[in-house]
């Protein structure tokens, strides 16, 4: 039996400027959500890794609970509470306002 690699998907890794984006998101997120958020990894397959590899500062941040299992991510009944979406939209707006 032969085994060969047909694709290599490198993970998203921190790149130059990541700390700046994390800080810009973390400050309003803590104020709005009432708890600190930290930078952490997630077992996701994302095209964001290509941006970092090309030198574009990239982080992933999204609305919803703390885990993919809580929202049944990629399942037939994947869902999101609208209050989370509103809060996360406000967080991103405040982060962009700070960065720009």
């Amino acid at each position: 039996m032969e085994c060969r690699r047909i694709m290599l998907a490198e993970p998203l890794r921190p790149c130059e400027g990541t700390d700046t984006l994390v800080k810009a998101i973390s400050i309003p997120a803590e104020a709005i959500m009432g708890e600190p958020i930290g930078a952490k990894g997630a077992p996701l397959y994302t095209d964001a890794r290509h941006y970092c590899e090309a030198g574009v500062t990239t982080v992933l941040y999204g609305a919803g609970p703390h885990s993919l299992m809580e929202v049944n991510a990629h399942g037939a009944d994947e869902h999101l509470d609208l209050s989370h979406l509103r809060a996360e939209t406000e967080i991103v707006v405040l982060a962009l306002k700070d960065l720009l």
Side-chain angles (χ1 to χ4, degrees), residues 30-63:
E30 184 170 345
I32 291 169
M33 302 304 282
E35 62 183 348
I37 66 162
K40 60 183 177 184
L44 302 172
Y45 186 79
T46 171
D47 290 338
R49 68 189 191 282
H50 299 301
Y51 294 105
C52 256
E53 287 173 10
V56 177
T57 304
T58 306
V59 296
L60 298 177
Y61 181 69

Side-chain angles (χ1 to χ4, degrees), residues 83-100:
S83 66
H84 286 150
L85 181 59
R86 282 187 203 98
E88 305 304 341
T89 300
E90 185 177 351
I91 291 164
V92 170
V93 166
L94 292 171
L96 289 171
K97 182 179 175 185
D98 180 49
L99 290 166
L100 299 174

Side-chain angles (χ1 to χ4, degrees), residues 4-71:
R4 61 187 175 91
R5 181 175 68 205
I6 57 172
M7 183 178 75
L8 175 62
E10 292 290 338
L12 172 62
R13 293 186 175 95
C15 55
E16 186 177 335
T18 298
D19 291 341
T20 302
L21 289 180
V22 169
K23 182 179 176 187
I25 293 170
S26 297
I27 292 170
E30 184 170 345
I32 291 169
M33 302 304 282
E35 62 183 348
I37 66 162
K40 60 183 177 184
L44 302 172
Y45 186 79
T46 171
D47 290 338
R49 68 189 191 282
H50 299 301
Y51 294 105
C52 256
E53 287 173 10
V56 177
T57 304
T58 306
V59 296
L60 298 177
Y61 181 69
H66 295 156
S67 79
L68 298 173
M69 292 180 67
E70 290 178 70
V71 295

